Amino acid sequence: MNGAESLVKTLLANGVDTCFANPGTSEMHFVAALDRIPGMRCVLGLFEGVVTGAADGYARMADKPAATLLHCGPGLANGLANLHNARRAQTPVVNIIGDQATYHRPLDAPLTADTEGWARPVSVWTRTATRAAAVGADAAAAVQAACAAPGGVASLILPSDVCWDAGGVVAAPLPPLPVPKVSPDAVQQAARVLRSGQPTLVVLAGSALREAPLADAHRIAAATGARLITPMSNARVSRGRGRLAVDRVPYSGDVARDKLAGIRNVILVGAPAPVTFFAYPGKSPRPYPEDAAVHVLARPEEDLGEALARLADEVVARNAPLPTMDAGAPTPEPARGAVTSENVARTLSALLPEQAIVVEESVSFGRAFYPGTVHAAPHDWLQLTGGAIGDGLPLAVGAAVAAPGRRVVSLQADGSAMYTLQSLWTMAREKLDVTVVLLANRKYAILLGELAGVGANPGKTAMDMLDIGNPDLDWVKLANGMGVEGARAKDMESFADLFRMANGRKGPFLIELVI
Amino acid sequence: MNGAESLVKTLLANGVDTCFANPGTSEMHFVAALDRIPGMRCVLGLFEGVVTGAADGYARMADKPAATLLHCGPGLANGLANLHNARRAQTPVVNIIGDQATYHRPLDAPLTADTEGWARPVSVWTRTATRAAAVGADAAAAVQAACAAPGGVASLILPSDVCWDAGGVVAAPLPPLPVPKVSPDAVQQAARVLRSGQPTLVVLAGSALREAPLADAHRIAAATGARLITPMSNARVSRGRGRLAVDRVPYSGDVARDKLAGIRNVILVGAPAPVTFFAYPGKSPRPYPEDAAVHVLARPEEDLGEALARLADEVVARNAPLPTMDAGAPTPEPARGAVTSENVARTLSALLPEQAIVVEESVSFGRAFYPGTVHAAPHDWLQLTGGAIGDGLPLAVGAAVAAPGRRVVSLQADGSAMYTLQSLWTMAREKLDVTVVLLANRKYAILLGELAGVGANPGKTAMDMLDIGNPDLDWVKLANGMGVEGARAKDMESFADLFRMANGRKGPFLIELVI
């Protein structure tokens, strides 16, 4: 058994049975091993950003990691932006990078690059394998590291000779690393703050956004008057009709500071202290009052569900009734009339399939989507977590691979879609049940706002840098060119018809919605 | 004057008047400054790999650097693969990366990443600006560093507050750093080797491939019997009818070792000692005999032209006649019949416009292109230098911006084209005179050879990872979707017709050649 075979067998033994790949020469033994060992589903991406974003989307829905397969330092580099997003999402990823043979690397052949140096900033664990006999153990360690709470990218660099040499040994799974419990002091401290009667904000992130911890958080809020909030962007939120809703920190620092005015305490549950996405001249970088006290109930790597349960036990009876959701909510109907963010949200709310997976990278136009879909059929909502645009289509690929039978709805801004449009080809090849709603405003609209935000008045040259029309992108042709059917919607009526039709089909469909 | 304005004015004062850009929020003051200061041509790319590859192609033809404008660590990351190629090409690039404000970075907002850490491996010079008053001086230092022989990527990271703060100072150009001359000892040693009568290989790279140094190299070879060769991939070679030709080290180590059997001495002129692209089990990593002695006439940063001139003076009269080129070469005619590499080369040879710029990323199918075009009209030949595929279309963008009036012919494999297909949109927007010959074999053909090279027999799973058909990409639709006209050629006759027509037009045209 060579090193590559021991690697594939170890991944399977560790429950990693899906690999998103864009291989090259140094990965040929891994590819060859796939033929000899059944059980690994390999999904090809025609660009590494597709591969890494798909691995992120897969693990967000599967609650276990996929492997990637990337080619040398530059192949890794092409996948870094979406690994950055995965890092911010705390997604487990077993990130495998084939590289030059151990004895070839010092010769500095053209493709040789600083693979470890590029991997480290996005990884919780980085290791370069050095011999075939240890690759199995290296892979088991990578899986363990990726899955350690809260989850992260474990990068395993595989020199080609380590793959082709004989002597591979399959490694059994390592025990999961224990999830630390929060200290009684942290719970007591949070309870004291909540009982103080001062306006208090509880910031929930990561695994605190699943149904059970959210219920505890809502009991706490109902009993103490605390406000619940999540970061602006989250890896996965379970929401929709009958589920407990939580608001987000607004993107705009001005809007956020208005919304959070008067807050005296901030309690963090697996979340960092909120910060504005960018700095602006003369403005606070914090969306909450500067003089608010910040407390930590639980760090991201701690057991968030247990922390909220214990805090709920402190401040409120465990079986206290939950707030009533959806009271008085009208039955949503598809919108007619002008193509606005609010109208698109209404149509989504009316027509979103049960248990849909919404992948949202709608940037500026999507402002009404999240609040406007709170009463839609139950669904999961996945977002761009690290601000590196070009994550939406790859996340949709990965989510669809992880959750067959559930419709993926990709709400996708055009400028961002261009970064990883190769995703459409993988959707076609794998016949993934994805409805892409391509929001075509033909500009980097968010930057127009940002330009105003920094106090600049755009002239012709500046406008040229923010305008992605001239020529207009034709998304139906781009989709067709990669084997995905598509159509253009120019009004809300045709959008509703296309959206209903697309969601009822097998396989992908792209709707270009001109906004 | 704010920092951003001092930056733009300093770049212009230093002769940098072209900027390839994909800006974001942190770059808005730079973008705003462009409106107020005339003279900077800004070219938008819809993905950072387009931006960095275009900056590389621009400088290869303009012999001076362009600036890039990238957005934070993840935006840089998307451009790293082509910066890796630029590093291997020794191309001067002033690589500007906007980033979080100095006081915002410690707050670790979602987009915050290790920008310096990612930049350093591809850069000869990396600096993060810290105050508006010094940005001008930082920019002048970046230009000086990028242009220091042999040329490289100078990465200047610009926190947003350094751009918006007042107090910017325009910096005058710094004097170019001197180009070191080779020592008399190195010349004497090379001359001794050449006079020894032993079979000797002279490896020429970088600026040694321009016309005057090549002439000296040919005089040396004619007088001493030495063989001339270049690395397999080169930043720019001036070649074609009436020009002196030099062979390349073959990609295949086996073929190369056959070709270079018996060589006793290797003399390096601005080149690293040749190494095979990858390692293969049981094979030498060197394409020349392992027992050959390696001598350095000139390191890449030394004056290669002067070194060759002095060596020529040592071993041969300066005015010795040059070898006759093109003797007996037939007038090329467009090929008919089957679509083969040799036939495409014949048609290129017959129809290549005078002073064309050929950008070649033809990978496996292009094996006959380089030898087969040696008698084509005079042209420059630009290659993928670092093996990070996805450089061809961006190089074509940059070359066309640098050399208006010259036709750019992009010989482009389909798998590689997918990495940076967004380049087509920039070609349409800027109306660049580029003929893209898209070689559609619908597979990662080179990897089939590589799989055999490592001794593996591909089965179904492996073949799926190397097959980029299913579904087939439709390159005419993809081009149309980005505003570029195109047509499909299915035989040599229609290829010749389309190629002639495309080269006679203004603006870009894509020919999908099904191979």
Side-chain angles (χ1 to χ4, degrees), chain A residues 61 71-72 101 129 153 170 208 232 245 263 267 283 317 403 407 434 501:
Chain A
M61 293 312 303
H71 181 43
C72 297
V153 177
V170 180
M232 189 193 66
I263 289 292
I267 298 177
K283 296 194 172 174
R407 192 79 197 172
V434 181
M501 179 277 295

Side-chain angles (χ1 to χ4, degrees), chain A residues 19 21-26 28-29 31-32 34-36 40 42-48 71-72 74-75 77-78 80-82 84 87-88 100-101 103-104 107-114 117-122 160 164 232 251 272-273 275-283 285-286 385-389 415 418-422 425 428-429 431 444 446-448 450-451 454-475 477-484, chain B residues 19 21-26 28-29 31-32 34-36 40 42-48 71-72 74-75 77-78 80-82 84 87-88 100-101 103-104 107-114 117-122 160 164 232 251 272-273 275-283 285-286 385-389 415 418-422 425 428-429 431 444 446-448 450-451 454-475 477-484:
Chain A
C19 177
N22 185 261
T25 298
S26 43
M28 285 300 101
H29 278 87
V31 169
L34 295 172
D35 280 326
R36 294 192 286 273
M40 182 70 74
C42 279
V43 177
L44 183 62
L46 297 187
F47 175 69
E48 294 87 348
H71 181 43
C72 297
N78 283 333
L80 282 176
N82 280 341
H84 168 86
R87 175 171 86 91
R88 293 295 186 186
Q100 301 287 4
Y103 60 86
H104 204 68
L107 306 181
D108 198 36
L111 196 53
T112 308
D114 187 2
W118 280 340
R120 211 168 278 115
V122 290
S160 53
W164 74 54
M232 189 193 66
Y251 177 79
V275 58
T276 60
F277 209 83
F278 292 108
Y280 300 91
K283 296 194 172 174
R286 295 295 187 186
T385 46
I389 58 175
M418 277 302 282
Y419 286 70
T420 46
L421 75 161
Q422 305 91 341
W425 181 86
R429 181 182 181 94
K431 302 182 174 60
Y444 289 143
I446 194 167
L447 295 184
L448 291 168
E450 298 290 345
L451 205 55
V454 297
N457 270 323
K460 165 99 179 58
T461 310
M463 286 302 291
D464 278 352
M465 291 296 101
L466 310 182
D467 159 33
I468 68 170
N470 179 29
D472 283 343
L473 296 163
D474 183 327
W475 280 98
K477 281 187 183 158
L478 292 174
N480 291 169
M482 289 189 258
V484 172
Chain B
C19 177
N22 184 263
T25 298
S26 43
M28 285 301 102
H29 278 88
V31 169
L34 295 172
D35 281 326
R36 293 192 286 272
M40 182 70 73
C42 279
V43 177
L44 182 61
L46 297 188
F47 175 68
E48 293 87 348
H71 180 42
C72 296
N78 282 333
L80 282 176
N82 280 342
H84 167 86
R87 175 172 84 91
R88 293 294 185 187
Q100 300 288 3
Y103 60 86
H104 204 68
L107 305 182
D108 198 35
L111 197 53
T112 308
D114 187 2
W118 280 339
R120 211 168 279 115
V122 291
S160 54
W164 75 51
M232 187 194 66
Y251 176 79
V275 58
T276 61
F277 209 82
F278 292 108
Y280 301 90
K283 297 195 171 175
R286 295 295 187 188
T385 46
I389 57 175
M418 277 301 282
Y419 287 70
T420 46
L421 75 163
Q422 305 91 342
W425 181 86
R429 183 185 181 93
K431 301 181 176 61
Y444 289 143
I446 194 167
L447 294 184
L448 291 169
E450 297 291 346
L451 205 54
V454 298
N457 270 322
K460 163 99 179 59
T461 310
M463 286 302 292
D464 278 353
M465 291 297 98
L466 311 183
D467 160 34
I468 68 170
N470 180 27
D472 283 344
L473 295 163
D474 183 327
W475 280 98
K477 282 187 183 159
L478 292 174
N480 289 170
M482 288 189 258
V484 172

Side-chain angles (χ1 to χ4, degrees), chain A residues 386-432:
Chain A
I389 58 175
D391 201 17
L393 296 176
L395 283 177
V397 167
V401 170
R406 296 178 66 174
R407 192 79 197 172
V408 176
V409 174
S410 162
L411 305 174
Q412 183 60 53
D414 54 354
S416 306
M418 277 302 282
Y419 286 70
T420 46
L421 75 161
Q422 305 91 341
S423 308
L424 295 168
W425 181 86
T426 301
M427 291 180 192
R429 181 182 181 94
E430 300 289 331
K431 302 182 174 60
L432 301 177

Side-chain angles (χ1 to χ4, degrees), chain A residues 37-339:
Chain A
I37 302 159
M40 182 70 74
R41 178 173 182 186
C42 279
V43 177
L44 183 62
L46 297 187
F47 175 69
E48 294 87 348
V50 179
V51 167
T52 54
D56 184 1
Y58 173 92
R60 293 193 198 187
M61 293 312 303
D63 279 328
K64 67 173 192 173
T68 63
L69 186 60
L70 306 173
H71 181 43
C72 297
L76 167 66
N78 283 333
L80 282 176
N82 280 341
L83 290 171
H84 168 86
N85 289 323
R87 175 171 86 91
R88 293 295 186 186
Q90 301 171 338
T91 303
V93 176
V94 178
N95 185 40
I96 299 176
I97 308 136
D99 213 344
Q100 301 287 4
T102 52
Y103 60 86
H104 204 68
R105 161 165 283 280
L107 306 181
D108 198 36
L111 196 53
T112 308
D114 187 2
T115 313
E116 273 202 9
W118 280 340
R120 211 168 278 115
V122 290
S123 304
V124 292
W125 181 100
T126 304
R127 183 182 292 180
T128 299
T130 57
R131 57 201 180 89
V135 167
D138 292 335
V143 175
Q144 186 191 47
C147 295
V153 177
S155 292
L156 176 58
I157 300 164
L158 277 180
S160 53
D161 54 335
V162 172
C163 282
W164 74 54
D165 279 350
V169 179
V170 180
L174 295 170
L177 293 171
V179 182
K181 310 278 186 222
V182 298
S183 72
D185 281 358
V187 176
Q188 290 302 326
Q189 167 69 2
R192 269 194 300 275
V193 169
L194 287 166
R195 288 194 202 102
S196 71
Q198 291 180 334
T200 296
L201 184 70
V202 180
V203 188
L204 305 162
S207 60
L209 302 178
R210 300 295 175 92
E211 283 197 77
L214 262 190
D216 280 328
H218 273 277
R219 282 190 192 95
I220 293 164
T224 65
R227 288 167 66 181
L228 304 179
I229 208 157
T230 75
M232 189 193 66
S233 294
N234 297 285
R236 176 179 169 186
V237 184
S238 299
R239 61 196 298 271
R241 202 155 49 232
R243 289 180 174 167
L244 296 156
V246 186
D247 214 355
R248 300 183 299 178
V249 176
Y251 177 79
S252 157
D254 291 341
V255 174
R257 278 183 293 273
D258 280 352
K259 187 185 180 84
L260 302 180
I263 289 292
R264 305 289 303 145
N265 295 285
V266 177
I267 298 177
L268 304 176
V269 186
V275 58
T276 60
F277 209 83
F278 292 108
Y280 300 91
K283 296 194 172 174
S284 165
R286 295 295 187 186
Y288 53 83
E290 298 256 12
D291 58 354
V294 177
H295 314 270
V296 178
L297 171 64
R299 294 188 304 273
E301 65 274 22
E302 294 178 318
D303 188 334
L304 308 185
E306 197 252 357
L308 284 166
R310 283 167 56 192
L311 182 58
D313 286 347
E314 279 291 324
V315 299
V316 58
R318 190 75 194 270
N319 54 1
L322 283 167
T324 313
M325 306 306 293
D326 305 303
T331 306
E333 291 287 338
R336 308 178 71 84
V339 178

